Amino acid sequence: MITAAIIVFAIAAVGGLILAAHVLRGKFAPWALSLLHALLGAVGLILLIVALVQGSTSQPVLTGFILLLIAALGGFFLVSFHARKRLPPKAVVVVHATIAVIGFLTLLSVVL
């Protein structure tokens, strides 16, 4: 289950890099890619919830989950800007990405 979540988050991260590149260049990110990124993130979180509920996980899995959940909340904040047709602050994009990467690496440490 953890491996599947890591794969899903890795794919979401590729989309996230593209989205961040748009915003950091002062352009709006494509809605379709934003939705796919969010969907993949949600699937990854659901997979982690299932693993956590089953009880066969370690502390780093819980830590990674919490960090990725915080990143997801930041993602909702970023979407609120897009919905209002405003570019989000670049600092928020960087913080969102940083927290997500730390959460992802924390999960990855479990399987490596």
Side-chain angles (χ1 to χ4, degrees), residues 70-80 96:
I70 292 168
L73 294 173
F76 284 117
F77 182 65
L78 291 170
V79 167
S80 75
H96 166 74

Side-chain angles (χ1 to χ4, degrees), residues 36-87:
L36 180 61
H37 177 71
L39 177 65
L40 290 169
V43 168
L45 288 174
I46 290 167
L47 290 171
L48 288 179
I49 289 169
V50 170
L52 288 165
V53 169
Q54 289 176 347
S56 60
T57 60
S58 60
Q59 185 67 32
V61 173
L62 178 59
T63 302
F65 169 74
I66 291 168
L67 287 168
L68 289 163
L69 187 59
I70 292 168
L73 294 173
F76 284 117
F77 182 65
L78 291 170
V79 167
S80 75
F81 282 91
H82 199 131
R84 291 178 279 151
K85 299 186 185 326
R86 294 179 50 206
L87 285 174

Side-chain angles (χ1 to χ4, degrees), residues 14-24 27 29-30 33-35 37 93:
V14 172
L17 287 172
I18 296 167
L19 294 170
H22 274 81
V23 173
L24 294 176
K27 299 179 181 179
L33 185 56
S34 295
L35 293 174
H37 177 71
V93 172

